[in-house]
Amino acid sequence: MIRIQRAGERYPGGDPAAGIETRHALSFGPYYDPDNLRFGALLACNEERLAPGAGFDEHPHSHTEIVTWVVEGELTHADTAGHTSVVRPGDLQHLSAAGGVRHVERNDGPEPLVFVQMWLAPLTPGGEVSYEVVRDLNTGYDLPAAGAVLRVERLEAGTSTELPTADFTYVHVVRGGVSLGGGELGPGDAARLTGEKGLSLHATMDAEALVWEMRAP
């Protein structure tokens, strides 16, 4: 089964007056849809846009694997486990919240910040807080804690890549355009695949997409 979610169908959130604009793919905060709670291990897929100087003040997380992909600008991160970093386009950030951690996320740079943040449910709750940044990621990122693998697909116009055969596959188009199963997807569009085999992403123009491969818990 393939379910397409258009960029315009995402739930708007954030705090525009404070320079934070968010688009949620799944139920989040005050937005509740019992048919849109999660997909596989994926609990949230948020597109975030932060104006210079804007950010999220210190707030808690627990029992969540938080993966962030920076599209434009610079993301400044600090957490109560002692990790600090600046994450730039092409970098992947992974915070394993384990039993509990608090963090701050800000745009301390001079340009607008755009990033995609994805929350995944761990297979086993608890454990120790961990953090890493992978600079210039150009391969798959294995997330065994959630039974998932993230692939960053950068495709030139006219080229294709085969999608993984998995219990759940989630495709988020970051930029450009792709076709999938006869449908066209643009920036911010997403596809949820359940038990599909032999499908490919075809770039209708130069494109970048995030592809999650997830197994059933």
Side-chain angles (χ1 to χ4, degrees):
M1 182 177 72
I2 303 177
R3 176 180 174 184
I4 303 297
Q5 182 184 46
R6 299 297 177 186
E9 297 172 340
R10 289 171 170 264
Y11 174 72
D15 185 354
I20 302 172
E21 295 186 8
T22 307
R23 294 294 183 269
H24 303 289
L26 297 156
S27 290
F28 198 98
Y31 170 64
Y32 175 77
D33 179 351
D35 295 323
N36 193 31
L37 294 177
R38 64 184 286 175
F39 179 73
L42 199 62
L43 302 173
C45 180
N46 301 335
E47 289 186 321
E48 304 284 0
R49 290 170 171 80
L50 273 61
F56 300 98
D57 294 333
E58 186 175 293
H59 57 281
H61 290 281
S62 62
H63 311 300
T64 310
E65 305 297 322
I66 304 171
V67 176
T68 305
W69 179 254
V70 174
V71 180
E72 300 174 11
E74 296 182 345
L75 171 65
T76 298
H77 166 95
D79 63 49
T80 52
H83 307 110
T84 60
S85 64
V86 176
V87 190
R88 298 180 174 87
D91 295 345
L92 178 141
Q93 174 184 259
H94 173 210
L95 173 63
S96 181
V101 68
R102 300 176 68 88
H103 73 156
V104 175
E105 296 171 302
R106 297 196 57 80
N107 179 8
D108 289 334
E111 304 296 332
L113 167 64
V114 180
F115 62 95
V116 182
Q117 188 165 93
M118 298 152 285
W119 299 4
L120 291 91
L123 297 173
T124 304
E128 298 294 324
V129 174
S130 65
Y131 178 83
E132 73 171 327
V133 175
V134 181
R135 303 293 183 186
D136 298 319
L137 180 69
N138 55 18
T139 59
Y141 183 78
D142 193 11
L143 191 61
V149 176
L150 176 64
R151 289 166 41 187
V152 180
E153 300 289 358
R154 299 181 180 93
L155 302 172
E156 294 183 354
T159 64
S160 299
T161 185
E162 186 175 347
L163 291 175
T165 297
D167 295 320
F168 302 98
T169 302
Y170 187 87
V171 179
H172 173 86
V173 180
V174 176
R175 65 180 98 240
V178 299
S179 63
L180 170 63
E184 303 287 332
L185 302 176
D189 292 345
R192 306 177 195 183
L193 287 66
T194 306
E196 294 287 339
K197 298 180 181 179
L199 292 179
S200 295
L201 278 184
H202 177 76
T204 56
M205 62 183 73
D206 290 353
E208 180 178 279
L210 304 176
V211 180
W212 278 107
E213 172 186 352
M214 299 171 282
R215 65 179 176 87

